[in-house]
Amino acid sequence: MAIDNPNRVDERVRRSKQAVMAATFGLLTEAGLGGVSVDEVSRRSGVAKTTIYRHWPTRAALLLDACSQLTARPEAPDTGSVAGDLAALAESIADRLTGRWSSVLPSVIDAAERDPELAALHARLHDEMMAAFHEVVGRAQAKGELPKDVAASDLIGAIMGPLFYRRWFSREPLTREAARTIADRALRGL
Amino acid sequence: MAIDNPNRVDERVRRSKQAVMAATFGLLTEAGLGGVSVDEVSRRSGVAKTTIYRHWPTRAALLLDACSQLTARPEAPDTGSVAGDLAALAESIADRLTGRWSSVLPSVIDAAERDPELAALHARLHDEMMAAFHEVVGRAQAKGELPKDVAASDLIGAIMGPLFYRRWFSREPLTREAARTIADRALRGL
DNA sequence: CAATAACGATACGATACCGTATCGTATATC
DNA sequence: GATATACGATACGGTATCGTATCGTTATTG
């Protein structure tokens, strides 16, 4: 038989999957979720459509898999003060929102509005993104730097919200400076 | 000839257009921009596809027209204080974000990410939505209730952002009470 | 080197769309 | 009531898509 060690993966499979994923990501950022077709992924990746369907049972599975790997959870900074930590986090989020991947997000949100599977994915990505915030806020509350009765989610919303707003509504430049100001005001608003 | 007075519109045309628009709106809220097909609109409205194409040259035109009529610009409240005005505005926005139409917005944002025509539409809708805010802020600044050096757009973002965030990210209930709190904190953050 | 598994190319059936064309029918206007 | 106009039904051509089937070719593994 070909495979004795089940941990060993065929190099051909690895390459195919990787090429397909790369092409899918590219299409995703360019055309959004709705703009990804298996045929086009096949063309771009140079991987035969047949082969794609060998690894993903359906288009939805491919998209879901691709989106799942968008994970880029920010690490919780530790500058010594809540204000510093939150500013740093806001900067890091701002970076993400100016990056290439950010254009996929509206797509996901739109789809999540109706597709429960994508809604779950969106929730998961959101949770991962928020983990650092919760860590920072929890630490500050433990140190007495923040009152224990403020809901972390409110503070997070007061920072994330304006960032998103700038990116998708007012369309003002999303600089790191702007991010710091937003974090600062959110903290003062409590 | 049939029409001497150019202001008089054929009743048949009026009815057709109205039925098509109604069906389009329904589909929009259910399926988003991408889910609206002319054939389905025809089925739902009972208006022949041929007739639809008599009034709208293309699918895109139909969608654009439908979205244009989403306009529901809030009126600027006048409670006597900025705090009251902003809270009232926040409530009014929250109402909108819990209504049926809100599910169309992600669709529009997603499309605007790539389609310049929809981007323009989105910008226009946004401007209309913001008019009341600018009025309130301008009034407050004239009265000296707000410092003149705060950018209105920052304040608006500090209110709208968290509202949007609740609706599409944290998915916490978007109550009027929550809206008031958000407005309040935004004001304090300045 | 032989067997096994993955791959590519191609074709296919089934849908769902868009937008146009034709033509007979109903209806508003004069 | 006559005429112009809008409408509905139907069919069509063209394209894009999904997902499957077939089969010869290539690469990996033992």
Side-chain angles (χ1 to χ4, degrees):
Chain A
M1 291 101 198
I3 295 181
D4 276 4
N5 180 356
N7 289 350
R8 183 89 192 99
V9 283
D10 195 323
E11 189 61 18
R12 294 171 289 180
V13 174
R14 221 205 93 264
R15 264 203 297 269
S16 294
K17 282 191 169 180
Q18 195 276 329
V20 168
M21 269 302 162
T24 304
F25 278 131
L27 253 179
L28 259 179
T29 60
E30 289 176 28
L33 270 175
V36 177
S37 75
V38 180
D39 293 84
E40 181 62 23
V41 169
S42 169
R43 273 189 284 274
R44 291 203 180 191
S45 62
V47 172
K49 194 166 65 153
T50 322
T51 302
I52 298 180
Y53 278 106
R54 278 193 189 101
H55 296 308
W56 291 274
T58 181
R59 182 191 103 110
L62 173 63
L63 287 178
L64 218 59
D65 193 10
C67 289
S68 298
Q69 304 195 12
L70 287 177
T71 318
R73 92 160 58 198
E75 48 184 306
D78 191 356
T79 65
S81 72
V82 216
D85 288 352
L86 291 179
L89 263 177
E91 279 184 359
S92 144
I93 302 284
D95 284 348
R96 265 158 232 264
L97 291 184
T98 52
R100 252 182 282 86
W101 297 119
S102 68
S103 66
V104 179
L105 194 48
S107 235
V108 174
I109 294 175
D110 179 39
E113 199 83 10
R114 285 167 292 274
D115 179 344
E117 210 155 9
L118 269 171
L121 170 69
H122 177 231
R124 198 172 59 73
L125 291 178
H126 178 248
D127 286 350
E128 286 181 4
M129 190 98 117
M130 294 308 97
F133 272 105
H134 280 106
E135 189 176 330
V136 165
V137 171
R139 195 163 51 210
Q141 286 179 329
K143 281 201 287 181
E145 237 181 326
L146 268 183
K148 296 223 161 122
D149 65 337
V150 304
S153 64
D154 284 351
L155 179 54
I156 294 174
I159 296 177
M160 299 286 285
L163 289 175
F164 287 136
Y165 180 80
R166 260 178 114 93
R167 169 66 174 81
W168 281 295
F169 290 87
S170 80
R171 297 176 185 278
E172 292 164 296
L174 197 40
T175 64
R176 306 190 122 210
E177 185 53 34
R180 298 191 73 89
T181 306
I182 285 172
D184 206 54
R185 289 190 173 154
L187 201 51
R188 257 204 314 254
L190 301 179
Chain B
M1 289 94 201
I3 295 182
D4 275 4
N5 180 355
N7 289 350
R8 182 93 192 97
V9 283
D10 195 323
E11 189 61 17
R12 292 173 290 181
V13 174
R14 221 207 92 261
R15 264 204 296 270
S16 293
K17 283 191 169 180
Q18 195 277 329
V20 168
M21 269 303 162
T24 305
F25 278 132
L27 253 179
L28 259 177
T29 60
E30 287 175 29
L33 270 175
V36 177
S37 75
V38 180
D39 293 86
E40 181 62 21
V41 169
S42 169
R43 272 188 286 275
R44 291 203 180 191
S45 61
V47 173
K49 195 166 64 153
T50 322
T51 301
I52 298 179
Y53 277 106
R54 279 193 188 100
H55 296 308
W56 291 273
T58 180
R59 182 191 102 110
L62 174 62
L63 287 179
L64 219 58
D65 192 11
C67 289
S68 297
Q69 304 196 12
L70 287 177
T71 318
R73 92 161 58 197
E75 49 185 303
D78 192 357
T79 65
S81 71
V82 215
D85 289 352
L86 291 179
L89 263 178
E91 279 184 358
S92 142
I93 302 284
D95 285 348
R96 265 159 233 264
L97 292 184
T98 52
R100 253 182 280 86
W101 297 118
S102 68
S103 66
V104 180
L105 194 48
S107 233
V108 173
I109 294 175
D110 179 39
E113 199 82 9
R114 285 166 294 274
D115 178 344
E117 209 155 10
L118 269 171
L121 170 69
H122 177 230
R124 197 171 60 74
L125 291 178
H126 177 248
D127 286 350
E128 286 181 3
M129 189 96 118
M130 293 308 97
F133 272 105
H134 280 105
E135 189 176 331
V136 165
V137 172
R139 196 163 51 209
Q141 286 178 329
K143 281 200 287 181
E145 238 181 328
L146 269 183
K148 297 223 162 125
D149 65 338
V150 304
S153 64
D154 284 350
L155 179 53
I156 293 174
I159 296 177
M160 298 287 286
L163 290 175
F164 288 136
Y165 179 80
R166 260 179 114 93
R167 169 67 174 82
W168 282 294
F169 289 86
S170 79
R171 295 177 187 278
E172 292 164 295
L174 198 39
T175 65
R176 306 190 123 211
E177 185 53 34
R180 298 191 74 89
T181 307
I182 285 172
D184 206 54
R185 288 191 172 152
L187 202 51
R188 257 205 316 256
L190 301 179

